[in-house]
Structures are given as structure tokens and as C-alpha cells.
Amino acid sequence: MYRPLSIKPLPTLFGLAGGLVLILGILATASIAEKKGDRVYTFNDEDELLQPLYWDIPSNWREWVYVGTPLTPNELNNGKASFPEFHSVYIHPDHFKVWKRTGAFPDGTIMVKEMTSVGSKQAVSGSGYFMGEYLGLEATIKDSKRFKDEPGFWAYFSWTREGKPRAKTTKAEPAGKCNICHQSFAKDDWVFTQYYPVLRAAKPGR
Ligand code: HEC
């Protein structure tokens, strides 16, 4: 009896090819992870921190865990706040998980602070401060290997240039410019958790 050619080998072939692609993908990711250790961020050869959008595995901080928005409007700061005006702060989800479990920031923690102007002071909901344009982008990293000489192992970065978040890469700021204030006034391990309700609510034992 005539039997049509089985078409089974075709899906099997696709299955094999798919498997191969998967294995290659895993190997590639593993080799990046190996190169970076357990660090999520990327530095270039000049020791400059890349904006997360330009990392080996690009990452958008607006998809991280949002922790709070301190606001220092210019009009309450003699017309020019030192950090303009809304500060939206995010933590990488890997490090938020550890914070939730232990109440501590693990080695390799990165947080980003994105600054936005006050755009309008009037809305249908009433008078207030409403977000305008992006003005700046900063980050802090805790890394006991790369920043073993920094107080608390924290280093501070700013991608802000001429009032815009435009630098793709940036060097660590001098400790005297950023670190000292954090060291003296932040509640938990150089981080201003006293202004981040999300981190306070997630801290174990509360
Ligand atoms: C006068 C004190 C002071 C100095 C100096 C300072 N900061 Fe901060 N920083 C704060 C405060 C207060 C907060 C939390 C509330 C806010 O954003 O206003 C904060 C929050 C941050 C955060 C969010 C994560 C965290 O640690 O809470 C980053 C990132 C940051 N600052 C970066 C910098 C950088 C970069 C510099 C140096 C250019 C700097 N800071 C200098 C007071 C300071």
C-alpha cells in the first residue's frame, strides 16, 4: 500500500534547531555573566559607568522597582534647588529582592535617581507640582571590589550634562562631592530610605 512520506522529520529538525539556538543563547548569557561576575552594570575600559540603556544586557531603569519621589522645588530653594526638582528613585529588581529578604543592600546594588522639572502648578485636581521634562540622571553603586577605597563601598555618578540626562558614560564623582552627605545623613547604609516609603514598607521585621 502506498504511504505518503511522513512529515515528522521536519518538526524534529525545527526542534533540534530551536534547541541549538537556546543552548547558544544560554552560553552567550553565561559568558557575559561570568565576565561581569554577579554585577548587573557595565563599565568601559576608561572606568566609566554606562547608562543602563547601553549595558551589555541593556536595561531600562524605568522598569526597575520604583522606591519614591522626593521633591525639592526651586521656589522653596531660593530659586534654584541643588538637585532639580522631582527625584524619582529606582532600585534594580535583583537588589530589591535581597533588601526585602534581609533588610540590607547586597554587594553590587545599583540605584538610579531620575530628575524631572516642575512643569505646571495647576491641574484639574488642584494647585500643586506636576512633572515636566527630564533634567538629569544619577546613580549610586555599592561595590566592595571596584570601590574598595570609597566610604561604605558606595560610589556616585551623574550622567547629567547642561541640565539634560545626555551623557552615555560617566566617571565616579569624588567622595567629597557626594558620598559625605549620604554617609552623614542617610538612614540605611548610605541610602536615604527615610524618604523611600517602598523600601521602608518592604524592610523585613516592620
Ligand atoms: C547635601 C546632601 C547631598 C549631597 C551632597 C548629595 N546627595 Fe544624593 N541624595 C541626598 C538626599 C537627601 C537624597 C534622598 C532624597 C532626594 O533625592 O532628595 C539623595 C539621594 C540620592 C540618590 C538615590 C539613592 C540614595 O542613595 O538614596 C542618588 C543616586 C544620589 N543621591 C546621587 C548623588 C550624587 C551623584 C551626588 C553627587 C553629585 C549626590 N547624590 C550628592 C543628599 C545629597
Side-chain angles (χ1 to χ4, degrees):
M1 201 175 80
Y2 169 73
R3 293 175 62 187
L5 244 178
S6 161
I7 52 158
K8 267 190 200 142
L10 209 58
T12 314
L13 210 67
F14 276 125
L16 274 177
L20 199 68
V21 167
L22 193 74
I23 289 169
L24 285 177
I26 290 170
L27 283 178
T29 316
S31 86
I32 288 172
E34 198 177 302
K35 198 175 90 202
K36 288 161 65 90
D38 53 359
R39 304 305 192 236
V40 295
Y41 38 81
T42 304
F43 281 82
N44 66 16
D45 294 340
E46 278 82 53
D47 262 352
E48 295 171 328
L49 175 64
L50 272 56
Q51 261 200 44
L53 298 178
Y54 306 101
W55 291 355
D56 292 347
I57 303 171
S59 184
N60 190 331
W61 60 92
R62 294 186 197 125
E63 292 168 8
W64 298 2
V65 178
Y66 158 84
V67 304
T69 305
L71 169 63
T72 52
N74 287 334
E75 67 190 22
L76 297 182
N77 291 279
N78 303 319
K80 181 114 186 61
S82 38
F83 293 95
E85 298 196 81
F86 288 98
H87 316 163
S88 305
V89 182
Y90 301 83
I91 184 169
H92 191 282
D94 291 359
H95 312 135
F96 179 70
K97 263 192 212 134
V98 179
W99 167 263
K100 231 169 46 172
R101 194 161 39 80
T102 65
F105 297 108
D107 210 15
T109 293
I110 178 163
M111 298 181 72
V112 161
K113 157 159 123 172
E114 182 161 54
M115 285 162 299
T116 311
S117 65
V118 169
S120 153
K121 293 181 186 150
Q122 199 63 51
V124 283
S125 51
S127 302
Y129 294 116
F130 299 91
M131 283 178 148
E133 303 303 320
Y134 292 124
L135 296 178
L137 191 63
E138 302 190 333
T140 181
I141 284 179
K142 179 183 178 180
D143 190 323
S144 65
K145 291 193 193 85
R146 185 177 279 274
F147 301 114
K148 59 181 187 325
D149 299 327
E150 295 289 332
F153 308 131
W154 289 95
Y156 294 83
F157 302 85
S158 176
W159 292 290
T160 308
R161 301 289 182 273
E162 292 115 35
K164 293 270 178 292
R166 57 163 67 112
K168 282 187 185 171
T169 66
T170 192
K171 277 204 182 309
E173 300 283 336
K177 192 169 166 199
C178 313
N179 205 316
I180 300 302
C181 185
H182 281 245
Q183 179 172 7
S184 312
F185 300 109
K187 176 136 193 316
D188 280 293
D189 190 8
W190 275 252
V191 179
F192 282 92
T193 52
Q194 65 263 48
Y195 308 125
Y196 308 139
V198 176
L199 289 183
R200 291 204 307 274
K203 193 173 182 175
R206 272 180 57 97

